[in-house]
Amino acid sequence: METNGLLFAIGRTGGRARRVAGGVSTSDVLVSAHISGNADVFPEILALHVPAGSTVADVTWGKGVFWQKVPRSRYNLKATDIQMGVDCRSLPYDNHSIDCVVLDPPYMEGLFRKSEAHMAGGGTHSAFRANYSNGKATAEGGPKWHAAVTDLYFKAGAEAKRVLRPEGTLIVKCQDEVSANRQWLTHVEIINEYERLGFYCKDLFVIVRTNRPVVARLKKQEHARKNHSYFLVFVNTTKRKYRTAQRSRHPRP
Ligand SMILES: C[S@@+](CC[C@H](N)C(=O)[O-])C[C@H]1O[C@@H](n2cnc3c(N)ncnc32)[C@H](O)[C@@H]1O
């Protein structure tokens, strides 16, 4: 009998049923840490967590780098970005209509400024700005600095919750950052907030840069220079066991 990828042999010992787990010994498994690029790892994450034929909304499409090595016929892909006029905080999809949402908004506070002149990635770094943000200044009155980063992740997470079907998948790319000389573990902030929203963090991948980062104008190093980022995989859960686990992790005041 094959159940969930495991083979069970049902036998009898002294009149009692005996269950023997089958399966194969292999090292051919997807691992959690990769010294690699997004375009190589993302297809493997999809293969593990998102069944072929699923409707997938990539809501921060950018240049579509994530999808470079994913066969187009595999998913019903809906690609949007603020640069196409679609804000990931207000998606044009019905409630519970999407199987998987992919979210990769700008991850560093330097890309959220009230003036384009003050944004990170000016001058010779303009390609960085073009790849990682929409290149536009942030509206007056919103949160500032690192809080502007998490505000977008949190609001986009709530919108993903609305459009995802129950048990649907949310794949989030993020990176921690040092801002105002303080360490911000963005991936932890996102996991905590999304679990409050009703997601279960099912998997976590660490992506390590293949090249060494160069620091311009270093005076005194205070924190390790980040050369890794994350893919987080969440399940839009309605299951009681996950909600109970969340409550014990985040008791209400
Ligand atoms: C890090 S890039 C995404 C790269 C993309 N994953 C790829 O594979 O090419 C961040 C993207 O978020 C988009 N963005 C920024 N704010 C947004 C918003 N409020 N709604 C939707 N997209 C947004 C930017 O235009 C930019 O294309």
Side-chain angles (χ1 to χ4, degrees):
M1 176 176 41
E2 185 109 40
T3 311
N4 230 359
L6 290 176
L7 189 69
F8 292 102
I10 309 289
R12 297 219 154 250
T13 318
R16 291 174 54 200
R18 181 169 53 87
R19 207 173 67 161
V20 183
V24 288
S25 171
T26 179
S27 60
D28 185 20
V29 288
L30 181 58
V31 295
S32 58
H34 298 253
I35 304 172
S36 189
N38 294 331
D40 289 312
V41 181
F42 182 71
E44 298 201 59
I45 297 173
L46 282 180
L48 182 61
H49 288 293
V50 185
S54 297
T55 296
V56 182
D58 186 329
V59 299
T60 46
W61 175 258
K63 307 259 182 281
V65 173
F66 286 0
W67 295 89
Q68 281 171 354
K69 298 183 181 175
V70 180
R72 278 304 145 90
S73 58
R74 196 170 161 81
Y75 297 104
N76 171 25
L77 177 59
K78 296 172 181 294
T80 58
D81 193 286
I82 196 83
Q83 299 181 44
M84 304 172 191
V86 180
D87 193 314
C88 59
R89 294 164 291 191
S90 176
L91 295 170
Y93 307 128
D94 290 340
N95 294 353
H96 319 306
S97 60
I98 303 289
D99 299 313
C100 172
V101 170
V102 178
L103 175 68
D104 177 25
Y107 65 86
M108 61 184 284
E109 56 95 350
L111 294 170
F112 293 86
R113 288 287 185 274
K114 303 227 175 325
S115 144
E116 286 174 29
H118 295 152
M119 284 175 71
T124 54
H125 294 99
S126 58
F128 171 82
R129 184 190 292 182
N131 287 337
Y132 285 89
S133 81
N134 64 351
K136 297 275 182 289
T138 309
E140 292 285 343
K144 291 180 189 161
W145 314 113
H146 178 71
V149 175
T150 48
D151 185 67
L152 182 47
Y153 273 100
F154 293 173
K155 287 179 176 153
E159 181 64 349
K161 177 86 185 163
R162 181 188 69 77
V163 302
L164 275 172
R165 67 168 172 76
E167 306 301 312
T169 305
L170 170 57
I171 301 177
V172 178
K173 184 79 204 300
C174 64
Q175 183 166 330
D176 302 332
E177 68 172 343
V178 172
S179 167
N181 213 26
R182 219 198 113 168
Q183 180 75 255
W184 298 93
L185 298 178
T186 311
H187 77 288
V188 176
E189 296 178 274
I190 292 171
I191 291 170
N192 286 341
E193 177 62 19
Y194 283 17
E195 292 212 339
R196 265 185 220 107
L197 290 173
F199 287 106
Y200 157 60
C201 187
K202 184 180 182 185
D203 224 338
L204 178 153
F205 297 85
V206 178
I207 314 300
V208 177
R209 275 173 67 156
T210 53
N211 57 353
R212 281 190 74 81
V214 177
V215 183
R217 301 191 302 273
L218 177 69
K219 288 182 187 148
K220 179 174 178 295
Q221 183 165 15
E222 299 278 355
H223 305 92
R225 180 73 185 182
K226 309 273 179 244
N227 69 336
H228 71 286
S229 56
Y230 304 89
F231 276 107
L232 308 175
V233 180
F234 295 91
V235 177
N236 179 22
T237 184
T238 49
K239 285 191 181 155
R240 182 186 294 276
K241 66 177 176 179
Y242 297 136
R243 285 206 306 271
T244 308
Q246 287 161 30
R247 268 200 296 277
S248 59
R249 265 196 261 178
H250 310 291
R252 294 196 185 285

